Amino acid sequence: MQYQPMVFRTCMGFLHHKDDADDLTQDVFIQAYQTLSAFKGDASFSTWIYRIAVNASLNKIRKSSKNQFLQRLETAFGGEKSKEHSISISDNENPENILILNEHKEWVQKALNSLPENQRTAIVLSKYDDLPQKEIAEIMNTTEGAVEALIQRAKANLREKLSSLNKKSKK
Amino acid sequence: MPEGIRIQVETHLGECKACAESFQLVSLANKVMDAEKEMKSNPFLVTRIMAGIEELEQNRESYQRIPAYQSILKPALISVSIAAAIFIGVLVGNIYLPTQSINKLPVEMTYMNDAALESVDLFSQL
């Protein structure tokens, strides 16, 4: 299970929630086991498993965005609002700092979630898994140049989104 | 980052408010991402994965173990018996003909007026 931490980190980068990332990591390994015969060895095993993790994460996000839409509809028609996941960065922080950090964390998660899928994949694999651009290119089945451009665009979009969220909070 | 460039960047950040704000936001994003990156998965995750794979294998084995007569013959037999039951039902329904009453009343009886019959109460009062 040497690949477990890296799959978990990838899932965490996409989902930002520990329990969801745990569940998805489990699904990824079971899916990998089921489709092991499809692994031909053209790419390295880690690249193959990263691809499964990225695809599973993106599918999960697509599904949950549909569910969120239904939940919003349900809430609009008088249903119960689903509980938000609590966020904590460190237990040593005082409550005020935790509150600020949680707010900041929400900004970053919102900004990350607003990125297009390919930019998001590139930034998650680069920032969460510290993968070199060559490996990211293999996972995403593209060129290194394209990956570099994607990461640059993702960073610019993140900066822009965070800046607008910061301005909104100041108003 | 080389020392000279670092000093230049720091000086610029001290003077330019927009760049300082942008730098702060990027640092914040990095801090959040690092915090998420440092999170550890459930220590029992390996056990859960192994249990999941084991369950998958068991399901596969039990599916393979079902003999052909159970997977094909049984549903076929059930379908045939349901069809036979419906057919017999329709057949029996068609055999039935409304029977004519054997103890048919004589025609004269229809002319009798029950209301005009002598009341039983008449005898009980005696």
Side-chain angles (χ1 to χ4, degrees), chain A residues 11 16 19 22 29 36 41 43 56 69 76 80 88 90 95 103-104 108 129-130 151 153 167-168:
Chain A
C11 297
H16 314 293
D19 292 342
D22 273 336
F29 279 104
L36 202 60
F69 174 71
E80 275 184 42
S88 63
S90 166
E103 191 189 16
H104 289 169
V108 176
D129 290 289
D130 297 320
I151 292 172
R153 257 180 269 153
K167 277 174 194 162
K168 266 185 200 172

Side-chain angles (χ1 to χ4, degrees), chain B residues 1-125:
Chain B
M1 191 187 283
E3 190 65 20
I5 295 173
R6 196 179 62 82
I7 293 166
Q8 275 183 3
V9 169
E10 279 177 1
T11 316
H12 178 74
L13 288 175
E15 291 162 358
C16 179
K17 204 182 164 188
C19 285
E21 199 179 283
S22 182
F23 176 73
Q24 207 183 347
L25 289 171
V26 172
S27 311
L28 170 77
N30 283 333
K31 192 181 170 186
V32 170
M33 285 194 267
D34 285 342
E36 284 189 348
K37 204 168 95 177
E38 292 306 313
M39 272 193 182
K40 296 271 177 265
S41 62
N42 186 334
F44 302 107
L45 189 59
V46 178
T47 320
R48 273 172 55 184
I49 293 167
M50 295 315 285
I53 290 172
E54 214 168 285
E55 195 184 340
L56 194 79
E57 278 299 308
Q58 277 173 358
N59 287 345
R60 195 179 289 172
E61 274 175 27
S62 62
Y63 180 74
Q64 282 170 349
R65 247 186 264 144
I66 299 172
Y69 80 89
Q70 247 189 341
S71 58
I72 303 163
L73 209 63
K74 207 174 165 183
L77 271 173
I78 292 168
S79 313
V80 167
S81 20
I82 290 170
I86 294 168
F87 178 73
I88 291 167
V90 172
L91 203 71
V92 169
N94 281 336
I95 287 168
Y96 172 78
L97 289 171
T99 49
Q100 290 183 345
S101 178
I102 301 160
N103 305 318
K104 208 176 179 183
L105 288 170
V107 183
E108 294 80 22
M109 289 294 280
T110 54
Y111 298 112
M112 282 182 75
N113 182 5
D114 287 352
L117 286 173
E118 208 167 9
S119 171
V120 181
D121 292 342
L122 193 72
F123 299 103
S124 62
Q125 281 172 3

